């Protein structure tokens, strides 16, 4: 199920009930190939791994990878002090943040006279 997004001050937000699970889908509508790393609340979702995002395809992040298990992403109740500006909130500034780092890839051409040849 897709969660509705809302843009505020050029940033995208979603609203959900605490305890609701979610997954993150990154779509590539171009012909290029990219690599993707995902961070939720400032923590890398799949440490040590980068997912390949092929042309006209998508990749899914279902939760935090911990050894061989995946722990679902869950919306939490974030404590907010309404009297303070957002930058001065006592909780970490990355709580509630989902960030995807997307890296462009490049093709590497190997000449016919590569070092793998026996000649």
């Amino acid at each position: 199920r897709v969660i509705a997004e809302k843009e505020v001050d050029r940033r995208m937000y979603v609203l959900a009930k605490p305890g609701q699970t979610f997954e993150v889908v990154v779509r590539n509508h171009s012909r290029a190939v990219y690599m993707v790393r995902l961070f939720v609340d400032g923590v890398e979702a799949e440490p040590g791994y980068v997912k390949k995002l092929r042309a006209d395809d998508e990749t899914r992040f279902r939760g935090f990878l911990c050894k061989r298990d995946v722990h679902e992403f869950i919306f939490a109740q974030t404590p907010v002090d309404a009297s303070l500006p957002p930058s001065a909130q006592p909780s970490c500034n990355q709580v509630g943040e989902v960030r995807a780092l997307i890296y462009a890839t490049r093709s590497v051409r190997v000449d016919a006279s590569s070092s793998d040849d026996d000649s």
Side-chain angles (χ1 to χ4, degrees):
R1 169 177 133 229
V2 176
I3 299 174
E5 298 176 347
K6 182 176 182 173
E7 185 176 350
V8 178
D9 296 328
R10 296 180 14 190
R11 292 191 66 168
M12 296 305 293
Y13 292 89
V14 297
L15 297 177
K17 293 181 182 176
Q20 182 178 351
T21 62
F22 67 96
E23 66 181 32
V24 177
V25 179
V26 181
R27 291 187 177 93
N28 179 6
H29 296 290
S30 73
R31 296 184 317 184
V33 177
Y34 297 97
M35 305 303 282
V36 182
R37 291 173 61 201
L38 187 80
F39 293 82
V40 176
D41 297 338
V43 178
E44 189 169 6
E46 297 184 2
Y49 294 95
V50 180
K51 287 192 174 189
K52 183 180 268 188
L53 182 56
R54 292 181 171 81
D56 295 315
D57 202 0
E58 65 183 34
T59 189
R60 293 177 182 271
F61 293 87
R62 292 184 167 84
F64 291 106
L65 180 62
C66 301
K67 296 188 181 181
R68 294 182 183 258
D69 296 325
V70 175
H71 298 262
E72 293 179 314
F73 298 131
I74 299 175
F75 284 103
Q77 180 75 39
T78 305
V80 175
D81 185 341
S83 65
L84 296 175
S87 60
Q89 292 297 327
S91 60
C92 173
N93 285 338
Q94 293 178 321
V95 169
E97 178 182 73
V98 176
R99 181 171 41 108
L101 298 182
I102 301 173
Y103 304 94
T105 61
R106 62 183 178 118
S107 299
V108 178
R109 188 173 78 192
V110 178
D111 293 334
S113 61
S114 74
S115 60
D116 293 335
D117 292 341
D118 290 333
S119 51

